[in-house]
Amino acid sequence: MKIESHPLPDLTQAASAFAALGSEQRLSVLRTLVRAGPEGLSIGELGTRTGVTGSTLTHHMKILAAASLVTQTRQGRSIICAAVAFDQVQNLSAFLLTECCADSVTPDKDYDHG
């Protein structure tokens, strides 16, 4: 899977996305969807794999969707959930690491600071 490079999020965007990931259950849901790839999973299978079901899963999916990290689409009688923001997750990591050790008197020589 090719991950495209996009501009780093601003502080507000990063805070919103990190807030959406601020729950162990939501992080588990997103991680499961990332593992499933772009095909995604049915809501039932997602619940089975994560142990998060019913209205709790619906609530977490709503928050992740509002942060533009996942989508839900209807396919016949099923709802398919998919992680769509692989690049956004990568950019969130870059947001944290871009300035790694920038204020350190002795930066880590073994780390590529970009």
Side-chain angles (χ1 to χ4, degrees), residues 41-54:
L41 298 169
S42 70
I43 194 88
E45 181 62 22
L46 179 59
T48 298
R49 290 187 188 188
T50 62
V52 182
T53 58

Side-chain angles (χ1 to χ4, degrees), residues 92-107:
L92 288 171
S93 297
F95 175 82
L96 291 176
L97 297 174
T98 297
E99 297 185 35
C100 176
C101 310
D103 295 334
S104 176
V105 176
T106 56

Side-chain angles (χ1 to χ4, degrees), residues 33 39-48 57 73 78-82:
L33 290 174
E39 305 85 35
L41 298 169
S42 70
I43 194 88
E45 181 62 22
L46 179 59
T48 298
L57 181 55
T73 54
S78 297
I79 295 175
I80 304 301
C81 305

